[in-house]
Amino acid sequence: MRGIMLRALPVCVAAFATGCFLTNSSVGPATSHNTPTHAYWHEVGAVLTEKSTGNDMKDLLPFIRNQTEKLRTLSTDGVDPALVAAVADLVKCEDEVLRRADMAGEDPSVMRSNKEVAAAFAEANRLAFESKKRLAAMRDSLNDRLGGGFGPINVGGTGGGGGARRGHF
């Protein structure tokens, strides 16, 4: 009897494990990744991964305006309030970058010749980049609270990352 049991045990364990994996049974609540918060996160991520066609002020400022306007027009109905607030903060910071650039007449030579204007612009840019990093860092808390489905948002790179804008004007 013991011999039969010992030979049957691995088969039973394998069948049990296979059944668990094939039926996709899981411990914990089943969640849908089709919520307004998930859709909003993915739309924000798509906007932020767009790249500027150039690295100079002439190309970057219209790009930032366009990107900010896209973020402003996304529907926030039913979206997690913390996520909406983080995107609103990013839009506010990017608006400040644009305001500082407007104060310099969108002229890089003014930035180079006036240290105060350049410092204010650099600070606005730094704050916008920090806002993007805080937004991207929300991923883990959203995944924990809403059951996953929130992929990473890349905040680096030309244009939408802020880091590439710093020091180019």
Side-chain angles (χ1 to χ4, degrees):
M1 178 78 169
R2 185 181 286 185
I4 294 172
M5 295 281 287
L6 289 175
R7 281 182 259 150
L9 184 62
V11 174
C12 291
V13 169
F16 176 74
T18 303
C20 287
F21 290 122
L22 291 178
T23 60
N24 196 20
S25 64
S26 61
V27 178
T31 59
S32 170
H33 299 296
N34 296 326
T35 68
T37 300
H38 285 88
Y40 187 78
W41 177 264
H42 294 293
E43 290 170 344
V44 168
V47 170
L48 294 180
T49 58
E50 294 173 358
K51 305 289 185 209
S52 172
T53 58
N55 284 329
D56 62 2
M57 189 177 276
K58 175 180 76 77
D59 295 321
L60 287 173
L61 293 176
F63 173 79
I64 296 167
R65 278 188 193 92
N66 183 38
Q67 195 177 49
T68 304
E69 189 56 34
K70 285 180 182 178
L71 291 174
R72 224 184 241 106
T73 60
L74 294 176
S75 173
T76 59
D77 293 341
V79 176
D80 181 84
L83 177 55
V84 172
V87 173
D89 179 65
L90 173 58
V91 168
K92 182 185 85 165
C93 290
E94 292 288 27
D95 283 341
E96 184 62 15
V97 169
L98 295 170
R99 189 178 80 75
R100 295 295 180 165
D102 287 343
M103 288 174 61
E106 297 186 9
D107 185 357
S109 64
V110 172
M111 298 268 188
R112 286 186 209 105
S113 65
N114 188 329
K115 289 183 181 180
E116 292 166 351
V117 171
F121 181 76
E123 178 64 8
N125 231 346
R126 185 189 68 75
L127 292 173
F129 186 64
E130 291 299 319
S131 180
K132 284 181 183 178
K133 288 189 340 187
R134 283 190 303 275
L135 172 65
M138 291 184 70
R139 175 182 178 228
D140 291 340
S141 68
L142 289 170
N143 275 325
D144 290 345
R145 286 187 292 121
L146 300 174
F150 295 92
I153 290 181
N154 182 7
V155 296
T158 304
R165 293 194 310 252
R166 286 181 275 155
H168 285 284
F169 305 118

